[in-house]
Structures are given as C-alpha cells and as structure tokens.
Amino acid sequence: MESSAKDLVRQISVISAAVFMIIAAMVGVGVFGGTPVQELQDGALAADATYLAPASSAFSIWTAVYVGLFAYTVWQALPSQRANERQRVLGWWVALTMVLNGVWLVLAQFTTLVLTVIGIVALLAALAVTFRRAIVLSPSTGWVDRILIDGVTGLHLGWVTLATVANVTAWLTVNLPASWEDHAVVWGMTVLAVVAVIGVAISWAGKRLAPSLALAWGLSWLAVARITDQPESLAIGYTAAVVAAVILVVGIAFTVRGLREPRSVQTA
C-alpha cells in the first residue's frame, strides 16, 4: 500500500501531540516553575483531599503511560508504518488522547476545578473511543501492535477511568454542603461498586489486560490511602481492595479467553 501526504501529516501530528503532552507534564510536576499537581486547586487534587483519592504513589503509573506513548510515537513515525491501515484508523485518535492529556494539566494549572472535570471527561471519552476502535474496528495484527496501541491505550484508559472518579469527587467535595460528608462513606462505596461494573465491562468488551491492571493499581493505592492516611475509612479502603481484586481476576480471565478466540475484524 502506497503512502500519501496525509500519512506524513498524521505522523508529524502524532509527534507534535506527544511533544505538547510531555511539555505539559513537565509543567504539571513543576519543572518549569509550575505548581505540582498535588498542590493545585487549593489542594483539592491531593491524595488526602477526598475519600476516593489514591495515595500519591499511585501516580507513578504515569511514567509507564508516558513511556508507552513515547514508544508508540517513535514506532508510528517509522517509514514502514506510514501507510499502515491501522495507523490510519487510530493515529489521529491516539494523538487526540495525548493532546487532551496535556490540556488537563494546563486546565489544572491555570483554570478552575470544574474545567478540570470537563477536561478529564473529554479525555476519558476520547480514550474509550480509541480503545473501542483499536479492539473492535481495527484489531491488532502483531505483538508490537498489540502492546504499543492496545496495551498503552488500555493502560491510559484504565487509569483515567479512576482519575475521573477522583477528579469529580474532588469537585463535589469542594462544592457540596459540608453536611453531605455524613454520607460520604456510603456514597464512596457506591461509586466503587460502579467502578467495579465499569472495569468488568471494559474487560468483557476489550479482552485486554491493560485496563484492568491500571484500575487495580489505582484502586489498591486508594485502599492504602483510606486505611493508612486521612481521611480514614476502613469501609472504603476494604471495598476498594475487593474491587481491585475482582477487576484484576476478571481482566485476566477475559484476556485469556480473548487470546484463545480467532481474530476477526468486526463492523460497527
């Protein structure tokens, strides 16, 4: 299959998106003088700000996500990938997720908490579409493909799913009346039950382990935070641990099942 000018534009656009995301990430951790994420929005996004915030160690998963996206960016830029049909289907979408990733950090640095909610919901939606297109509309044809597109996108999706819950919870905590805190544990456990359903649904639909790994990672650190740190809640902590285990076991089961199934391109 011959390449075209559009293919070259796509490759350059993906590289540009990755550069923007990396610069935004550096600003987000304070490298260029910006305020670290944990201190933004008057501390509303800190690990001890809400009942559904994971411990700060959980955020080390961003290293894996960024390394994976960087590796994808280099790989998709190779001449051999220029006219690849799967890159044509997915390249623009992966670029969009990287741009929105960086946009969230910009919003967190310079705007309001409600805009960070809008930004992370947009990122989650883009990741969900990208993951669906990767799994359903354009299945992988090799292990490199499977790792750098399915795996990295799945890891990104799983983590951002939980990050969205934490971000929305932070916004609600700031804006709801203080009396609502009396019911925070019940609401927290309810939300975690919903996260369990979402995690199982992603495993069932995608049959990829990466989203489950990211969700289980975040939930495990959420459990650690609620059991060992403030605001303390053993009920939420143990619920998060159980949900993490369920999502991981179900994710493994569906991934094994997916590996045993014949691959075929499905239509929308």
Side-chain angles (χ1 to χ4, degrees):
M1 186 178 296
E2 294 185 0
S3 62
S4 66
K6 290 182 179 179
D7 293 319
L8 182 59
V9 169
R10 184 198 68 243
Q11 289 179 307
I12 294 173
S13 297
V14 171
I15 294 171
S16 301
V19 171
F20 169 72
M21 179 189 67
I22 291 170
I23 292 173
M26 289 181 177
V27 173
V29 298
V31 173
F32 296 141
T35 304
V37 173
Q38 293 288 314
E39 300 173 16
L40 291 173
Q41 304 295 332
D42 296 323
L45 301 173
D48 58 356
T50 72
Y51 283 100
L52 294 181
S56 57
S57 297
F59 295 90
S60 62
I61 194 175
W62 279 121
T63 301
V65 173
Y66 286 140
V67 168
L69 288 171
F70 177 78
Y72 166 77
T73 300
V74 172
W75 174 64
Q76 68 83 38
L78 297 175
S80 61
Q81 296 300 311
R82 185 164 299 164
N84 184 286
E85 189 59 34
R86 197 166 196 241
Q87 299 292 358
R88 288 173 171 171
V89 172
L90 299 170
W92 288 106
W93 282 98
V94 177
L96 177 61
T97 65
M98 289 193 285
V99 169
L100 290 174
N101 185 308
V103 165
W104 183 88
L105 287 162
V106 172
L107 292 173
Q109 281 283 341
F110 304 112
T111 66
T112 62
L113 196 55
V114 67
L115 289 180
T116 68
V117 171
I118 295 172
I120 203 164
V121 169
L123 173 57
L124 179 62
L127 284 166
V129 172
T130 305
F131 190 68
R132 178 183 180 276
R133 291 176 71 87
I135 304 305
V136 178
L137 301 183
S138 184
S140 59
T141 56
W143 280 105
V144 174
D145 214 7
R146 194 180 183 99
I147 292 170
L148 293 183
I149 296 181
D150 301 8
V152 174
T153 301
L155 202 67
H156 202 175
L157 172 63
W159 173 250
V160 170
T161 297
L162 188 62
T164 300
V165 171
N167 201 157
V168 172
T169 303
W171 174 67
L172 290 174
T173 300
V174 169
N175 289 279
L176 289 177
S179 60
W180 281 58
E181 188 174 356
D182 296 338
H183 309 287
V185 173
V186 174
W187 280 111
M189 294 173 67
T190 302
V191 170
L192 289 174
V194 174
V195 171
V197 173
I198 293 172
V200 169
I202 293 174
S203 296
W204 171 76
K207 296 179 177 63
R208 298 292 188 273
L209 185 57
S212 300
L213 286 175
L215 271 169
W217 170 266
L219 287 163
S220 297
W221 282 110
L222 193 161
V224 170
R226 296 293 70 78
I227 293 171
T228 65
D229 200 358
Q230 297 299 322
E232 185 181 71
S233 173
L234 295 181
I236 289 180
Y238 293 138
T239 300
V242 170
V243 172
V246 169
I247 288 176
L248 185 58
V249 170
V250 171
I252 292 172
F254 275 116
T255 299
V256 171
R257 179 179 175 181
L259 290 172
R260 292 175 177 174
E261 291 178 350
R263 298 178 188 174
S264 60
V265 179
Q266 303 177 38
T267 57

